[in-house]
Amino acid sequence: MQIQVKCGCAEEKCPEWAIVELQGVVEVQPSFQGTLQNLEIGQLCRPSSQENYTFTVGYHELSGSKVPLKKPFVVLKKTRHLDANQNGDSKSSSVDLEVVGIIRHRILFKARPKALISSMFYLILLKPCLFSV
Amino acid sequence: MEQKQSGCTGGAETVLNLQPNSTISITYHPHFGPHDDLILLEIDDKLLPDVLHQRVTLRGQPNEDAVLCTQSKTYSIKFVGNSNSVFLIPPVDQSALHELPQYSDEKDDDQRVVASVIKVAPGNMELVEVAPRLDKLKLLLLENPFISEEVSEKEGLEGMDEQKTNLFKWNDLIDRVQASDDELRSGLRALSAVEIDGYWRIVDEKYMGTILNMLLHNSVLNDWSLDALGEDEVVGVLESDGFPRTLGLHCLQVYGSKVDEGVGSCVWKLDERRLCIHFAREILKDGKRKMESFLEEWIQKIPDGMQASFDMLEGEVLTEKFGVETWVHAFSVSSLPSNPAARFSMLFQERPKWEWKDLQPYIRDLTVPGLSSEGLLLKYTRKTQPNSDAEPVFSAR
């Protein structure tokens, strides 16, 4: 069995995806479980012209930077097709793999988070996402 | 088209091009979910052009671990988990991802730009270069070796029974063997396989011997030099003796090499070592022989003008001493598995202890990317050396 890895884009035009990576888990408040879609996780800020970033989730502020991946990732999309056989009586499935993007950088947060304690009450009331290590 | 600045959806581009002194909101995408159909695959920069130009394929049967093949190499695919939270953010304008439409939150009038996370990736796939899995090729082709009866049953090689299920064309082999195109071709060459009517076949050894003997017989009759055999002449004479042209040519390929001539028909030279190995195997096919008896018969079978020496048979025969007598039996490296663990297991079953000079011919063809022969020995054998003067001995771990 052979599956060709398809790619509709040439090297220069391959859409670049982004990764924001945290050392820890983002927890969603119980009242928001099940309705994650469109929920804000946090605020990503670039304070200066350097590639340093802060990411504020709940009452934690994470500090990190944009780093190149040591080896790029391609984003593959796997599609399963059900093909009817020539006689039409039995079906077989085939798999398609397509490159839909490339990732060369990630914004990595690995330092210990800073707790913004004074904002705690405000954030518990309004922010649906909290960060824990 | 300009994007609205108020509450509009950004994506990867917004994150990667985030300007100094700006802030964006990272949210869960409207279609956030597990999206198991989205897979991250780590690719070395050297391989990237092959991937992006559609020159790689995944190969394997449903019950096998898939491998990724370029034109000339094979890689196993492993999943590496990541305990970090990896938020994956696609770019906004994605015509390929039909189910991720743009949305804009019209209720939000502030200057907030939003980038959306489509999934949290549990890890990524990575590639490890591996040796091609060619043992299966041999098994497949030996299901139906080409024997002389096939020729006599039909007129030449046409009209072969296409209903036979254990005959394989090139594409059938690609479907079943986990190797790149180049490695598969090498594997076929190493097995001395020949393409007959589009099907790849291994010719039965006895039949090859018959053709070879006919060639040698004719070379004496026609006073041919074994160093300068004219292809057309040889193949023509063999054909009149009842051997199909493809097989006549195949005989030259198996037992000889082309001599670079340039003009006119090809010229071939028989290879002394390959011929000597062939006759040795023929003599030993029914079991072990006493060394003196073997040597006597062997030297007699070898064509005039060729020299036989016992070290030509390294990797093909082994000797044992019973008292004062030395016996020799066939043990060919080509009959052993190509997987290192299986290979060493068979070697130590044959003989529990090996000296390096005997062992080397039986492992020098083992290729494991990233592992040297010293590394192989370290991994699969136990080395003992009674004292610094003695030869080191290798045994099973």
Side-chain angles (χ1 to χ4, degrees), chain A residues 15 17 73-77 98-103, chain B residues 38-41 88:
Chain A
W17 292 41
F73 287 168
V74 290
V75 184
L76 294 174
K77 187 166 161 65
E98 190 183 355
V99 175
V100 295
I102 188 171
I103 307 175
Chain B
L38 285 180
I39 300 160
L40 299 179
L41 174 61
L88 195 58

Side-chain angles (χ1 to χ4, degrees), chain B residues 44-58:
Chain B
D44 199 277
D45 273 305
K46 294 195 297 278
L47 273 182
L48 199 53
D50 284 332
V51 175
L52 298 179
H53 290 99
Q54 306 194 119
R55 295 192 289 257
V56 304
T57 58
L58 255 58

